[in-house]
């Protein structure tokens, strides 16, 4: 199976059915107008650290919804969190031990799942404002990078900020800032514009997650905080168990992008 | 001791020293430009429920800072949380068992303290926009009411929304909305304008917390979500132990009001 040509116009329900059926694909550009979310699920005993980590790093970890322990759906996500994402990473002691398209066999009764805002949510608004979204144009996953910027720790959880990058023509950077600032619950305005080295990123062509994209002459790399940050914290802090989405392979929720737009 | 005539121009440090010395006074109008906060402190084992309750009721419970277990200060509050507020309420099994100006004897090593945004933060901006702030004019505490509106529960914690009320001339209601909407981290725009009965409030002259204020002809009661909501949830849900601020007697922080203003 591959990405259907009508991915942009699917309903969340239909997209989730495809993923439940085994399709693995990055979700940028899917289900236009519907909010996408990062997933991090941890045992109940570690849930406070994750929630506090999110509160202390709100730009990277805007919490949209939290399940009850053992819950497999959420008020914003009426599908099954174990099967309806296109990809999962299972962590033991902070080490990725499995990448799966169905996490049912790994799910546990004490897991609390956090849905965290995703910058894909504002990409439709960027495109409408005439700002190019290169990874969608190129049919790739968005490039994501570990930075050298430390997050505020919470209990046993700490790590460094992860960012996503979109190349923007110099004359449109202000528009990109203005448009995305109106979506604070899905990472909001960029955390950095320009020189990747200032964030500790050595090579834009070698992202830590996702795919490299073309940066054209006259374009500036623009960096937004990324909801993969909690997974980077899991890898750095090595809690016993966690399940995350495969970066770029998001939970497509039943919320509308407009729900996160401030007036 | 009574409220000093220069309360509005004191630094947070100086105000906290007065409270540490035993002064008990509502803090509306104190330390203009410095952010005030609600306090709720619970044992570590109940902290996840409080943090999740806040996440699920963000309008009433915008979390500004969280201490480490046993901590007595926070990055936003460089004083001593046990002594530097003008009043505290101690709860056992959800029942207020003591009202004190020094909580040192009640504080516990496992307490996690949450600082939650307070609508006093936008009162300076209201006044500057020409919207009267009646309880400051009248030298009273702000009136607060339990509503009939249920909060979203979290674990063992649930209850009803508490609101603060300010009477606003009909022609200035739009300004009051516009100004306060720009402060989402300190309750933001009103939750209700007009008829108190629609919120289940029977009598504006009998607030559940604070003091009644005069509502003049041509004025509309305007209601904002209130950071006393977690304390109402404590009273409704009866956890073993909690300490809150005395309503209207806030933690004066080292953050500036402008830090919570969106552009």
């Amino acid at each position: 199976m591959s990405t259907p040509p009508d991915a942009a116009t699917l309903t969340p329900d239909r997209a989730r059915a495809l993923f439940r059926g085994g399709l693995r694909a990055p979700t940028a550009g899917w289900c236009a107008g519907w909010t996408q979310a990062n997933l991090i699920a941890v045992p109940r005993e570690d849930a406070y650290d994750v929630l506090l980590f999110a509160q202390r790093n709100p730009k990277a970890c805007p919490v949209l919804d939290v399940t009850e322990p053992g819950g497999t759906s959420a008020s914003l996500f009426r599908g099954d969190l174990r099967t309806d994402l296109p990809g999962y990473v299972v962590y033991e002691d902070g080490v990725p031990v499995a990448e799966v398209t169905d996490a049912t066999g790994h799910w546990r009764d004490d897991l609390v799942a956090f849905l965290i805002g995703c910058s894909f949510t504002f990409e439709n608004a960027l495109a409408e404002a005439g700002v190019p979204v290169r990874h969608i144009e190129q049919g790739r996953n968005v490039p994501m990078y570990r930075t050298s910027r430390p997050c505020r720790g919470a209990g046993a959880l700490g790590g460094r900020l992860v960012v996503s990058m979109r190349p923007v023509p110099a004359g449109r950077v202000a528009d990109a800032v203005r448009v995305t600032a109106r979506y604070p619950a899905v990472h909001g305005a960029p955390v950095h514009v320009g020189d990747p080295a200032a964030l500790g990123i050595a090579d834009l062509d070698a992202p830590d997650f996702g795919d490299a994209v073309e940066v054209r002459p006259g374009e500036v790399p623009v960096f937004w905080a990324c909801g993969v940050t909690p997974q980077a914290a899991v890898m750095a802090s090595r809690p016993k168990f966690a399940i995350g989405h495969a970066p770029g392979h998001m939970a497509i929720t039943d919320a509308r992008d407009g729900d996160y737009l401030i007036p």
Side-chain angles (χ1 to χ4, degrees), chain A:
Chain A
M1 271 193 293
S2 62
T3 296
D6 61 345
T9 57
L10 291 177
T11 62
D13 221 39
R14 184 73 196 115
R16 292 190 300 241
L18 289 173
F19 300 140
R20 191 160 58 245
L23 175 61
R24 183 186 164 95
T27 52
W30 281 61
C31 301
W34 296 96
T35 298
Q36 302 196 19
N38 300 270
L39 171 73
I40 184 80
V42 298
R44 168 66 180 83
E45 62 182 12
D46 296 326
Y48 178 69
D49 286 355
V50 172
L51 194 52
L52 187 60
F53 183 83
Q55 193 278 329
R56 290 182 173 169
N57 301 282
K59 196 99 174 145
C61 311
V63 177
L64 304 185
D65 211 347
V66 184
T67 66
E68 298 304 315
T72 56
S73 64
S75 47
L76 292 184
F77 186 91
R78 293 195 293 265
D80 188 322
L81 286 166
R82 299 167 299 185
T83 56
D84 292 7
L85 277 68
Y88 300 85
V89 182
V90 181
Y91 298 92
E92 289 177 9
D93 299 316
V95 178
V97 294
E99 283 222 36
V100 294
T101 61
D102 181 339
T104 307
H106 300 274
W107 208 265
R108 293 166 37 162
D109 283 349
D110 63 344
L111 286 188
V112 174
F114 297 84
L115 293 176
I116 290 175
C118 170
S119 56
F120 291 173
T121 306
F122 56 54
E123 290 184 337
N124 221 31
L126 280 176
E128 278 173 20
V131 178
V133 182
R134 184 63 36 74
H135 57 279
I136 296 182
E137 291 172 5
Q138 296 195 287
R140 297 183 187 167
N141 196 349
V142 68
M144 293 162 272
Y145 306 87
R146 277 199 186 87
T147 70
S148 53
R149 199 178 284 190
C151 294
R152 279 186 71 192
L157 209 58
R160 288 177 291 149
L161 176 69
V162 176
V163 294
S164 63
M165 189 280 288
R166 292 160 187 81
V168 177
R172 310 309 304 272
V173 168
D175 292 331
V177 170
R178 188 180 51 77
V179 167
T180 59
R182 296 180 64 202
Y183 291 89
V186 290
H187 305 307
V191 292
H192 187 77
V193 176
D195 184 19
L199 287 175
I201 300 170
D203 182 0
L204 284 182
D205 287 331
D208 295 295
F209 311 97
D211 302 322
V213 297
E214 187 189 357
V215 182
R216 297 181 185 152
E219 291 183 339
V220 179
V222 178
F223 300 90
W224 280 266
C226 176
V228 171
T229 301
Q231 289 192 57
V234 162
M235 286 183 260
S237 313
R238 311 173 75 86
K240 282 205 165 26
F241 188 77
I243 296 178
H245 67 290
H249 300 66
M250 315 308 293
I252 299 182
T253 78
D254 297 291
R256 302 291 307 193
D257 294 348
D259 298 343
Y260 301 104
L261 175 67
I262 57 171

